[in-house]
Amino acid sequence: MKKSLLFKLLALLAALTLVAVACGNDDDDDGAAAPAPEATEAPMDDAEPMDDEEEPMDEEEPMDDEEPMDDEEPMDDEEPMDDEEPMDEEEMATSRTWGAYTYEIDFEPSTRGVTDDTVRLGAMTQDALYGGFTDGINARLGRANRDGELPGGRSVELVQYVDDGSDPQANFEGARSMVENDEVFGIMVTSAVSLPQTTDYLDENQVPFTGWGFMPGFCAPNDWGFGFNGCLSGFAFGVEGADPLVSVQNIWYDFFGTEDIVVGIFNSDDDAGRAGHALYENLWAGKLAFNDFVPTQTAGGITDPTRFVNTVLEHDPDLVILSTDFAGAITLKATIAASGYEGPVADYLTYVPGLPGSSPDLGQALEGGYAVTQVPPLDDSEPAIQQLLADYEEVGAFPGFGSLVGYWSADLLLQLIAAAGEDLNTASFYQAINIDGFETTQQSGALGPVKWPADHVVAPDCTGMVQVVDADYVVAHEFVCYGDPGR
């Protein structure tokens, strides 16, 4: 895939233009744990005798009462373990299949970044797109340390932060430095230039990383990347078993109360926009009034919005979607609203808490417009948001968009680490999440639950919507998950 396309995926994939048809329905038992043929990490307990009712061994090879079973000898396929007899804790399966993918512990456990007292973590993002990323991380890690959330009384420590400057090589070097020099256990990272060079390196070195799951590293076959909203782009990247997302379409069906709507779309005129154009043709087949292109800011921007406004007025669709860069969204929202068009105009990038009130010009441009968001809107009537705001107050920070991405990335990594228990290492982490299976827990108003290993392939497909009213964001549609809960 071209670098320019991946670099622009933030605008495309954050917009959830990757929707085509309804999500599939994977049954819960699809991911049932499957014992490995040979699990040398889990030998039979020497002190536990064989059940008298079990089939005896061949008479020519009697078992010495004092001699334990050889670890290297696999169990006879014709003598399966009694399903009703619980597994000994030391005999847990070290392999699991989910769909087309197998998860197994085939590496030496490492306690990199883990001491008796602390867990060392790193963070990396693009400051240009996610300013305040570490504010959110510090707010969430601070509560974990105050409340003693991790088993064994460990605290978490953010030992390094890297701004990759939108440079893929800097992204890779930053990740490698944090692992090899700072010896972090895990990383929180959201960047449009976290390309396979980086995420494959983290995967090969058994480094768990969390973030906004729109890049391919958060999807199978990588099994160390964990998106706080699952594998968002799996269908677009050809991940076997991945479902197309439906939330961007369903939220508008909910809004209008019908599927009988006509949609007009403006896409950025670049690789990402052209890919989005094709996807929208599929998504909104038969419902498109227009699906046109607009110039990007890097190509000079929209110098005369008149012709785009005229397209809207000529076709008068029920809804206008702006799948553009931030500058294009601001320009078109303002001019379309001023033209007298009365339908909703929505984008995917302009939910920036505090922005309309702090910048009168931008506030005026955004007034009345909508933004679809994949992080929960800051509705302070919800318990999760009350907690979030209290966490930010503790560190004297403000929950802007970039910091919210950091907050939810940290929240996820903390839950994953806690699931591994007091005996934390890379193997116990992998066992707890990818083999035993894990699902996050959230208060009302937070992100939707994510679960693994399923969400290396699919996603809970959650989204919400806000509108700018009197220079402030108000919730126009509650944050809801359209994905299959049985995935």
Side-chain angles (χ1 to χ4, degrees):
M1 183 174 285
K2 295 181 181 179
K3 170 184 170 183
S4 59
L5 175 55
L6 283 173
F7 181 78
K8 297 296 290 183
L9 274 173
L10 174 69
L12 173 64
L13 296 176
L16 284 180
T17 57
L18 309 176
V19 184
V21 295
C23 288
N25 293 302
D26 297 299
D27 295 333
D28 286 334
D29 58 3
D30 196 331
E38 180 177 357
T40 58
E41 298 87 344
M44 291 188 73
D45 189 332
D46 294 346
E48 183 177 351
M50 293 182 66
D51 190 316
D52 291 339
E53 296 182 4
E54 289 186 32
E55 182 178 337
M57 296 184 67
D58 190 322
E59 292 181 4
E60 295 181 6
E61 296 179 10
M63 174 177 279
D64 189 327
D65 291 340
E66 300 297 322
E67 182 177 347
M69 180 178 284
D70 188 339
D71 291 345
E72 300 297 321
E73 182 177 340
M75 295 181 66
D76 191 323
D77 291 339
E78 296 182 4
E79 298 182 33
M81 178 175 289
D82 188 343
D83 290 340
E84 295 181 1
E85 181 178 343
M87 259 188 178
D88 186 279
E89 186 175 347
E90 294 182 352
E91 295 176 331
M92 295 301 291
T94 55
S95 172
R96 178 176 186 164
T97 59
W98 195 90
Y101 303 94
T102 298
Y103 302 90
E104 58 185 343
I105 298 176
D106 56 358
F107 53 87
E108 289 296 321
S110 169
T111 55
R112 177 198 63 244
V114 179
T115 71
D116 290 341
D117 302 316
T118 62
V119 181
R120 295 165 62 85
L121 303 175
M124 179 164 60
T125 194
Q126 293 169 278
D127 272 350
L129 296 178
Y130 301 99
F133 188 67
T134 54
D135 288 341
I137 291 173
N138 287 327
R140 184 61 186 90
L141 297 187
R143 171 157 59 96
N145 288 337
R146 290 191 305 274
D147 294 352
E149 293 183 18
L150 294 190
R154 288 190 179 96
S155 63
V156 280
E157 181 183 5
L158 184 63
V159 298
Q160 181 61 275
Y161 166 68
V162 174
D163 170 20
D164 63 26
S166 303
D167 179 357
Q169 188 60 29
N171 184 279
F172 170 70
E173 294 296 344
R176 184 166 66 176
S177 176
M178 282 190 280
V179 175
E180 299 178 11
N181 298 331
D182 299 307
E183 296 188 329
V184 299
F185 179 79
I187 295 175
M188 294 151 284
V189 55
T190 292
S191 173
V193 296
S194 282
L195 306 183
Q197 175 183 226
T198 297
T199 52
D200 287 354
Y201 167 83
L202 295 175
D203 183 71
E204 290 163 4
N205 287 274
Q206 294 88 50
V207 183
F209 59 96
T210 61
W212 191 4
F214 65 86
M215 294 300 285
F218 290 101
C219 300
N222 190 319
D223 45 10
W224 290 87
F226 303 89
F228 61 66
N229 42 16
C231 164
L232 279 179
S233 52
F235 185 78
F237 287 119
V239 175
E240 187 171 354
D243 297 322
L245 302 176
V246 297
S247 57
V248 71
Q249 194 171 48
N250 285 353
I251 200 169
W252 288 111
Y253 292 160
D254 289 351
F255 180 88
F256 285 100
T258 178
E259 296 183 14
D260 185 22
I261 59 176
V262 176
V263 182
I265 302 173
F266 291 116
N267 306 277
S268 57
D269 189 10
D270 57 10
D271 287 344
R274 283 181 284 277
H277 176 275
L279 290 167
Y280 276 129
E281 290 287 336
N282 191 334
L283 168 64
W284 295 105
K287 300 179 179 181
L288 285 172
F290 57 87
N291 190 17
D292 295 343
F293 295 98
V294 300
T296 64
Q297 186 69 11
T298 55
I302 302 172
T303 56
D304 181 9
T306 304
R307 67 184 182 94
F308 304 114
V309 173
N310 288 341
T311 297
V312 173
L313 296 177
E314 176 185 351
H315 293 279
D316 193 25
D318 298 303
L319 163 68
V320 175
I321 295 175
L322 307 176
S323 186
T324 67
D325 58 19
F326 186 87
I330 293 292
T331 298
L332 290 177
K333 271 191 168 179
T335 54
I336 292 173
S339 72
Y341 172 73
E342 296 183 353
V345 181
D347 67 83
Y348 305 92
L349 298 176
T350 62
Y351 179 45
V352 185
L355 178 63
S358 63
S359 173
D361 289 342
L362 285 175
Q364 184 59 41
L366 295 171
E367 186 68 26
Y370 294 81
V372 176
T373 174
Q374 289 179 341
V375 296
L378 297 182
D379 177 0
D380 60 9
S381 68
E382 294 284 1
I385 302 305
Q386 294 170 4
Q387 179 66 72
L388 178 150
L389 295 173
D391 294 343
Y392 274 89
E393 186 175 355
E394 285 283 345
V395 297
F398 179 79
F401 180 74
S403 69
L404 288 172
V405 172
Y407 183 93
W408 294 116
S409 301
D411 181 78
L412 173 56
L413 188 52
L414 286 166
Q415 290 199 45
L416 297 176
I417 291 172
E422 187 172 348
D423 186 21
L424 176 63
N425 57 53
T426 53
S428 65
F429 179 95
Y430 192 94
Q431 175 84 42
I433 310 306
N434 287 331
I435 297 177
D436 296 345
F438 174 77
E439 180 175 354
T440 59
T441 58
Q442 299 286 4
Q443 292 178 292
S444 174
L447 291 168
V450 278
K451 61 175 68 175
W452 285 278
D455 287 355
H456 288 304
V457 176
V458 292
D461 199 4
C462 307
T463 195
M465 186 161 57
V466 296
Q467 183 183 22
V468 178
V469 178
D470 295 332
D472 196 10
Y473 293 102
V474 298
V475 177
H477 191 290
E478 64 179 346
F479 195 78
V480 62
C481 298
Y482 294 98
D484 174 16
R487 65 191 185 281

